[in-house]
Amino acid sequence: DTDPCVSYEGTRTAIERVGFKILPGGHYRPWFYNKSAAAMETLMEKPNLFGPNLELRPAGAQFGGHVVNYAHGLSFATVHGSGHMVPQFRPQSAERLLNRLLSDGLFAPLLPSDAELAQMDDDSFDKFVDSWTDKARSEVSTGSTSAVTELLV
């Protein structure tokens, strides 16, 4: 979402012009990735521009960007803090993207309809958002590094 040369807005506009409907509950919402610890060997051997946010300590579920789900199995996802070279600048986010692509899974839980959200009072809405965020973050694996991540880092 930070690429000065290849803006995601053009892609988003092109998708909207195709006319695919947004899935119920599939509107813009955050997705998360597991920020696991990188191996010391990786940090010592990698070029300085590769994975600038890799660290020795795990941080758990972190904000990865935004996602929209459309009809016909199309998802549009942004990657926070990266341009078009996602694997280079955000390898752990790239692992989540690749995992979702290969598994055909959702990046984040779907949301209730606008009508359902409009019926909530402020207190109910706040509780819902907290609960939804907890669920979205908990769906991110906090286990060991996957084989895909090992290839990327």
Side-chain angles (χ1 to χ4, degrees):
D1 66 359
T2 60
D3 195 324
C5 298
V6 183
S7 170
Y8 71 87
E9 290 297 333
T11 303
R12 187 174 73 161
T13 300
I15 292 170
E16 289 173 358
R17 288 185 180 164
V18 169
F20 289 175
K21 300 283 185 200
I22 294 176
L23 293 180
H27 286 277
Y28 273 86
R29 60 204 190 282
W31 63 271
F32 299 89
Y33 71 96
N34 180 33
K35 187 171 183 179
S36 57
M40 177 61 85
E41 299 81 32
T42 300
L43 294 175
M44 296 300 291
E45 294 175 9
K46 74 177 185 69
N48 287 334
L49 289 178
F50 178 83
N53 72 331
L54 295 176
E55 299 176 14
L56 288 172
R57 287 186 279 171
Q62 299 293 308
F63 173 70
H66 290 96
V67 63
V68 181
N69 295 102
Y70 294 90
H72 308 288
L74 178 65
S75 295
F76 173 70
T78 64
V79 179
H80 180 66
S82 184
H84 62 279
M85 299 292 290
V86 173
Q88 178 179 352
F89 293 106
R90 295 293 184 255
Q92 293 166 325
S93 294
E95 186 268 342
R96 175 84 169 151
L97 287 168
L98 187 57
N99 177 281
R100 297 295 83 194
L101 176 69
L102 296 175
S103 69
D104 197 29
L106 290 173
F107 284 86
L110 297 174
L111 295 169
S113 69
D114 290 345
E116 291 171 308
L117 291 172
Q119 291 177 354
M120 295 180 191
D121 61 26
D122 288 347
D123 213 26
S124 298
F125 180 79
D126 289 345
K127 287 178 184 174
F128 167 77
V129 169
D130 289 344
S131 173
W132 184 92
T133 303
D134 289 344
K135 180 180 179 186
R137 291 175 58 122
S138 72
E139 288 181 0
V140 176
S141 172
T142 56
S144 61
T145 303
S146 75
V148 173
T149 300
E150 290 173 8
L151 290 172
L152 293 171
V153 297

